[in-house]
Amino acid sequence: MAKVRVRFAPSPTGFFHIGSARTALFNWLYARHTGGVFVLRIEDTDKERNSEQFLNVIYDSLTWLGLNWDEGPGVGGDFGPYRQSERGLVYREYLEKLKAAGRTYEKDGAIFFRLLGERHEVYDEHRKKTVTKVGNTPAVIDDRIRGRVERTEDEDFVIVRSDGNPVFHFVNVVDDITMRITHVIRGEDHLSNTSKHVELFKALGAPVPEYAHIPLILKQNGPGKMSKRDQGALIEEYQRRGFLPEALVNFLCLLGWNPGDDREKMPIAEIIRLFDLPGVNQSNARFDEKKLAHMNLAYLLELPPDRFVEQARAFFARLPAGATAAAAAKADESYFREVMLLSQPKVKGIEELPAYTAYFFCEDFPIDPKVREKVMAKDDPKARLAELIELAKSADFSTDAAIEAAIKDLAARNGAGFGDYQAVARLAVSGTNVGPSITGLFRVLGRERVLRRLVRFAA
RNA sequence: GUCCCCAUCGUCUAGCCCGGUCAGGACGCCUCCCUUUCACGGAGAGAACCGGGGUUCGAAUCCCCGUGGGGACGCCA
């Protein structure tokens, strides 16, 4: 059997959004599952809307997601060039084939593709004008996801604009032929276009590829499919917010596909092993950022320490200039690491880290007045504070266990509970009532900082 | 308006192809437990087969019709 060749063919006319990412992902998965080839092709025939900047968004997003391409810009391949703007000669050659077959005609300066069949005029309600319909035979699409779909293409359509540039339907088909694409996996929004493509394949005497139209991703609130302007639509936003690409990829896999059992969080290698076209759903899926956040957290919690710190470091580095960013940047590398690892099991995302850890890096952190009121209303916090200051002067700060033992001992001697010390100590050293365990807090902050903050707070 | 696709908890979904288990899991929500704050974690509750016909002893599952949702109808891709 011929080797599977799939392609992802984005147009650099907008941002790279979640729907495009999933289309790319499903193509990539299918290529990896079958041992086939994943081609990246840039559909930049619309000169009005293209820009180099958008091209980089595509490359960056795919790379970040780990969707490496086997052929395409940057890596080459035997069927290039891989940007449509550089394939004019190929299109001309195939246009000649259509012309020679008598399947084209010129009108209003543009070149139309001629369908086979009887012609008659009819008034089109939607476009409010009379159009020429063709009594064509239906195109049969054997869709790997949807089954047999019939659709009749009944109007000639433009394949070359009056400015001489070929349009999407034509170049898409020509490229799929010349790049030997065996499976076209794309969004369901293209299903209606497929009859045009089938007509072109036939007219060019080329075999029609296998089709697989995947369901669309609907916006989480309101009607319609997700578009680049919707909340949470852009891949670069997840990247910027410190989401883990493996979590996003895992989440995206589950939008329209499942392994056939209850498993959700699974390594990409396992997904590759199990992924197949018949397993893809037929119905559209609504995007749910809460579930994505949950998936991200699950990955975050088990991220190896080195990678977690690396992610945190990168996130801090991109932070807009400010007190926390500056202080963290100046912080000792091992201290930064300890602070981040202490916070890893506590935060729900990398993006929470700066706010969550701010007091580790500066001395002028705010004291939450509401928390202060609550804590100071408890049983003799001033005495507890004084006792803690004494403890901080002499206790062993080297391990959590040592700190815990010291505080417990203190509590026992003064007829108080661990909690009586915990709350006031936390308030004094961090200004809040949330954070890592008090023992971890003491250990990482270190004796000097803890003592200084306790004394200052007591004053 | 025409054409195409789809239809199980609020959401993602299993089950459907090859009719017969209290329709299963996950997210979210709520309750409880754990606890040194906050999270994490654990336990539990609540929550669905769009409607109507048919076929059948029996339909979430097969067929038809509605309805609903989505998409396409550009010299955009």
Side-chain angles (χ1 to χ4, degrees):
Chain A
M1 204 171 79
K3 196 171 204 182
V4 166
R5 292 178 57 85
V6 294
R7 45 66 165 184
F8 173 57
S11 174
T13 56
F15 297 90
F16 195 81
H17 71 100
I18 214 105
S20 307
R22 194 188 51 157
T23 300
L25 173 61
F26 280 20
N27 273 283
W28 180 86
L29 283 172
Y30 193 62
R32 295 295 170 260
H33 174 75
T34 57
V37 176
F38 178 55
V39 178
L40 175 62
R41 179 171 82 218
I42 305 297
E43 305 221 333
D44 53 354
T45 55
D46 185 352
K47 297 201 165 69
E48 298 281 305
R49 302 198 196 180
N50 293 319
S51 89
E52 290 299 312
Q53 172 199 344
F54 288 150
L55 263 181
N56 286 328
V57 170
I58 291 170
Y59 300 151
D60 288 351
S61 297
L62 285 174
T63 303
W64 181 66
L65 290 168
L67 307 181
N68 58 312
W69 53 101
D70 307 309
E71 288 178 24
V75 299
D78 296 337
F79 306 94
Y82 292 91
R83 289 178 59 171
Q84 290 181 334
S85 54
E86 297 168 1
R87 295 176 61 79
L89 283 175
V90 182
Y91 304 138
R92 202 162 313 158
E93 179 192 335
Y94 277 79
L95 180 62
E96 287 310 317
K97 288 190 185 194
L98 284 183
K99 275 186 181 166
R103 298 300 299 275
T104 67
Y105 61 90
E106 225 178 295
K107 195 176 114 189
D108 304 330
I111 299 174
F112 281 71
F113 175 69
R114 186 197 302 278
L115 293 169
L116 271 19
E118 303 265 313
R119 262 133 242 271
H120 61 279
E121 307 280 296
V122 72
Y123 184 76
D124 186 302
E125 281 293 333
H126 182 254
R127 280 173 293 179
K128 309 288 182 204
K129 64 172 185 180
T130 304
V131 297
T132 305
K133 293 278 184 186
V134 182
N136 191 11
T137 49
V140 176
I141 303 148
D142 246 325
D143 198 278
R144 296 286 295 273
I145 294 169
R146 276 148 220 290
R148 180 191 167 94
V149 177
E150 269 188 27
R151 188 173 185 279
T152 306
E153 195 58 39
D154 62 359
E155 257 183 81
D156 293 342
F157 53 91
V158 172
I159 51 175
V160 180
R161 299 187 183 90
S162 49
D163 66 3
N165 288 308
V167 304
F168 163 73
H169 302 298
F170 180 63
V171 297
N172 188 270
V173 165
V174 169
D175 287 344
D176 284 345
I177 294 170
T178 53
M179 293 180 183
R180 317 267 174 91
I181 298 305
T182 59
H183 294 70
V184 173
I185 304 169
R186 49 159 49 154
E188 201 223 59
D189 49 345
H190 283 293
L191 189 53
S192 302
N193 292 327
T194 308
S195 48
K196 283 189 177 70
H197 302 169
V198 169
E199 294 291 351
L200 285 168
F201 277 108
K202 284 185 180 163
L204 287 164
V208 179
E210 296 275 342
Y211 283 104
H213 286 94
I214 65 179
L216 301 181
I217 299 177
L218 271 25
K219 63 180 78 183
Q220 54 184 342
N221 299 307
K225 62 173 176 174
M226 200 139 179
S227 73
K228 53 190 100 172
R229 297 176 68 184
D230 290 310
Q231 178 66 239
L234 270 33
I235 297 301
E236 55 187 301
E237 184 178 327
Y238 295 103
Q239 192 173 1
R240 182 179 59 73
R241 289 173 59 193
F243 275 74
L244 299 173
E246 58 267 47
L248 181 55
V249 163
N250 196 152
F251 170 78
L252 247 22
C253 286
L254 264 16
L255 232 45
W257 175 85
N258 67 78
D261 55 35
D262 289 340
R263 283 179 298 169
E264 295 199 326
K265 180 170 176 294
M266 43 202 307
I268 194 67
E270 182 67 357
I271 294 175
I272 288 171
R273 193 173 73 76
L274 296 170
F275 183 86
D276 206 353
L277 264 11
V280 177
N281 290 138
Q282 304 178 356
S283 47
N284 294 340
R286 204 167 283 276
F287 179 77
D288 180 6
E289 66 177 356
K290 291 248 180 65
K291 189 141 185 172
L292 168 59
H294 178 264
M295 185 65 78
N296 189 56
L297 179 60
Y299 275 90
L300 209 57
L301 286 172
E302 64 176 37
L303 205 62
D306 287 348
R307 268 206 68 203
F308 185 85
V309 174
E310 188 186 305
Q311 294 283 322
R313 179 53 92 190
F315 189 80
F316 271 83
R318 288 197 306 272
L319 232 44
T324 302
K330 267 190 291 180
D332 182 74
E333 188 60 43
S334 67
Y335 180 64
F336 182 85
R337 179 186 172 84
E338 287 304 314
V339 171
M340 293 308 139
L341 292 183
L342 189 63
S343 308
Q344 180 175 10
K346 297 293 193 168
V347 294
K348 293 197 147 185
I350 293 282
E351 62 183 330
E352 288 182 2
L353 247 17
Y356 194 81
T357 62
Y359 58 79
F360 280 97
F361 302 111
C362 63
E363 291 304 319
D364 58 345
F365 54 86
I367 305 285
D368 187 320
K370 285 208 174 96
V371 177
R372 174 184 213 126
E373 193 181 329
K374 233 168 115 184
V375 170
M376 298 317 281
K378 284 189 178 168
D379 187 33
D380 209 359
K382 287 216 151 64
R384 302 287 90 86
L385 208 48
E387 290 153 21
L388 278 164
I389 288 169
E390 287 312 302
L391 174 144
K393 285 176 182 163
S394 59
D396 177 4
F397 265 47
S398 62
T399 66
D400 283 23
I403 295 165
E404 181 170 346
I407 297 178
K408 279 190 170 158
D409 177 60
L410 194 63
R413 279 189 281 117
N414 294 289
F418 192 106
D420 296 323
Y421 293 94
Q422 189 271 139
V424 71
R426 178 182 301 284
L427 179 65
V429 302
S430 72
T432 178
N433 63 345
V434 302
S437 71
I438 194 67
T439 54
L441 214 46
F442 273 28
R443 174 177 54 78
V444 172
L445 280 167
R447 179 197 310 285
E448 205 177 305
R449 281 194 194 83
V450 169
L451 188 56
R452 190 193 315 144
R453 292 180 184 190
L454 286 172
V455 169
R456 188 185 61 185
F457 184 82

